[in-house]
Structure formats: C-alpha cells, structure tokens
Amino acid sequence: MVIHEKTINKVAVITIEGEVDLYNAKDLKDILDDKIRNQQFEIVVNLAKVPFMDSSGIGTLVTAMYKLKKYHGDLKVCSVHGSVAKVFKLTGMESHLEVYSSEDTAIQSLLDGRDKQE
C-alpha cells in the first residue's frame, strides 16, 4: 500500500494505492491520527486505486470519522468501486461514511459545510 497526501483549500486529501488490510491498516490509522493531531479536521480519502479493503481498513476510516466529529470535522470517502464498494454495501458502511463519486465532489461537500457553519 502506498499513501499520497496533499491539501486542497485546507482539506487534507489522502489517496491510497493498493490493498488495505489487517497488515497495513495501522499505516493509514497513523496518517489519519497525525492529521487530527495537526488540527486538520476535514479529510477526504480517495479509494480509486484500492482494489481490496477488509474490515480493518473500514474500521480505521469509521474510527477516524468519529474522532473528527468531536472537533466538528468530517471525513469523506470517494471513488469507491468494485469489491470495496461491495464490502461497504454489505457491511452497511454507506450509512456511516459519506461516499462521493469523485474527489472534487467530496472536497466540495466539505467546503459547502464550512459555508453553513459561518
């Protein structure tokens, strides 16, 4: 698994390449926790290049989302497809995590949320 990071309009964007499973979910958790420690409370996780994610990866995303909510932040997921989309649907994660078709729409949803808070 390779993780790329960038920031767009103060939104942290994390793009993952490769499988996310029990053996490497901690790497993702560490990056998400680091973002929260650095007060980056708006995060988009792009899963376009993730062919497989097990429950530990999904659990990592949900845990980070709930941590962010404590700081009035949020985590959005985008570009979910294939077996990852099936796992999201089967586990009911779509009701916990907001999933967007593209990175741009996920970022825009966070920016729109800012406008409502101001």
Side-chain angles (χ1 to χ4, degrees):
M1 175 180 73
V2 177
I3 300 173
H4 303 279
E5 301 175 58
K6 63 184 175 184
T7 302
I8 299 173
N9 289 328
K10 298 183 182 176
V11 173
V13 179
I14 297 170
T15 302
I16 304 169
E17 288 184 41
E19 296 183 354
V20 182
D21 56 27
L22 178 65
Y23 301 103
N24 60 18
K26 185 182 180 319
D27 297 338
L28 176 58
K29 177 191 178 301
D30 290 346
I31 287 173
L32 292 167
D33 286 346
D34 188 53
K35 297 291 179 202
I36 294 168
R37 267 192 304 280
N38 290 318
Q39 298 184 6
Q40 285 187 284
F41 300 133
E42 296 173 316
I43 300 174
V44 170
V45 178
N46 187 329
L47 300 178
K49 296 181 179 179
V50 176
F52 173 81
M53 179 180 282
D54 70 8
S55 60
S56 59
I58 291 173
T60 298
L61 295 175
V62 172
T63 300
M65 183 207 51
Y66 284 117
K67 285 180 184 176
L68 287 162
K69 297 264 186 208
K70 291 178 187 175
Y71 300 102
H72 305 286
D74 209 349
L75 181 139
K76 312 287 185 181
V77 178
C78 69
S79 306
V80 178
H81 62 90
S83 67
V84 178
K86 287 179 188 174
V87 171
F88 268 62
K89 192 171 194 118
L90 289 171
T91 58
M93 283 303 107
E94 292 174 330
S95 63
H96 293 281
L97 292 168
E98 289 184 55
V99 179
Y100 292 85
S101 59
S102 72
E103 185 176 294
D104 290 340
T105 56
I107 292 168
Q108 190 59 51
S109 74
L110 288 166
L111 297 177
D112 291 347
R114 277 186 205 162
D115 293 340
K116 289 177 185 175
Q117 290 177 356
E118 294 175 356

